[in-house]
Amino acid sequence: VDYKTAVPDFDSPWKYARATMPYVVVNEGVEANWNFRKFLQRRAGKLRPFWIPTFENDFEMLTTQTGLVTTSISVKESEYRQFTAHRNNIAIELDTGVWIAREVTGTSDNAPGSFNLALDNTINVQAGQIKRISFLDLVRLDSDTVNIQWQGNGVSTCEINIKQIEA
């Protein structure tokens, strides 16, 4: 609050807003717990960034698109080209639970109310297999310390804060 006594001045090293969010992981079994611990070790605390999907339907694929999807996906019109064109990394979730990461190399107009996303590599999946298309965020751990709570019976939970960084 400045009570209009001076001209406000803002200084930020970020071009866009960066979010810090909690990320909760539940592991069941020895192998899942071990793999998660190896993942945390590779991060080296706050040192190494990693990509994570937003887990949102950031793009809605057209229902008219059928057959094999290769290097282009037809999606409904959104504010992508106006507000978020700097976000070029997407994750495509298939109905099997597998995620495919791709980079958007460009957009082109399609029928009214839709446009095409051009991808850097082919994905070669049937259009009906695509469950969700999300943005990928480049993030890092927000702390060098991580606590894992052991629930018993091989189950562990971990809540870690992750911070979005410049891609």
Side-chain angles (χ1 to χ4, degrees):
V1 178
D2 68 356
Y3 299 107
K4 301 188 189 268
T5 58
V7 177
D9 186 25
F10 301 98
D11 182 34
S12 173
W14 301 106
K15 190 174 183 181
Y16 305 102
R18 301 292 175 224
T20 300
M21 61 202 99
Y23 187 65
V24 178
V25 179
V26 178
N27 293 307
E28 295 182 15
V30 175
E31 186 176 352
N33 282 300
W34 182 249
N35 288 336
F36 180 66
R37 290 179 65 189
K38 289 193 308 187
F39 167 79
L40 290 174
Q41 182 183 12
R42 286 192 304 270
R43 300 291 72 79
K46 296 192 267 184
L47 183 63
R48 290 194 183 96
F50 57 99
W51 293 95
I52 190 168
T54 60
F55 299 103
E56 299 290 333
N57 287 323
D58 294 316
F59 293 102
E60 188 176 346
M61 197 167 97
L62 291 179
T63 56
T64 57
Q65 185 170 359
T66 59
L68 190 67
V69 178
T70 55
T71 59
S72 177
I73 299 176
S74 298
V75 295
K76 289 185 179 178
E77 186 61 55
S78 62
E79 287 82 23
Y80 173 71
R81 293 189 278 188
Q82 182 179 358
F83 296 112
T84 58
H86 63 279
R87 299 184 78 176
N88 296 328
N89 298 294
I90 62 170
I92 302 164
E93 184 184 15
L94 304 180
D95 56 4
T96 59
V98 173
W99 288 88
I100 301 171
R102 290 293 181 261
E103 184 176 347
V104 176
T105 57
T107 61
S108 61
D109 289 326
N110 199 354
S114 66
F115 65 99
N116 291 327
L117 295 173
L119 306 176
D120 62 341
N121 288 322
T122 61
I123 56 175
N124 291 329
V125 296
Q126 293 295 323
Q129 290 180 287
I130 296 177
K131 179 179 175 183
R132 173 176 27 198
I133 304 171
S134 300
F135 284 120
L136 277 173
D137 288 332
L138 185 60
V139 298
R140 67 169 171 80
L141 297 180
D142 197 31
S143 174
D144 288 328
T145 305
V146 175
N147 293 321
I148 298 174
Q149 290 82 32
W150 297 96
Q151 307 299 324
N153 216 16
V155 177
S156 70
T157 58
C158 180
E159 183 174 330
I160 50 180
N161 285 331
I162 55 175
K163 184 178 219 62
Q164 186 179 16
I165 59 174
E166 191 96 27

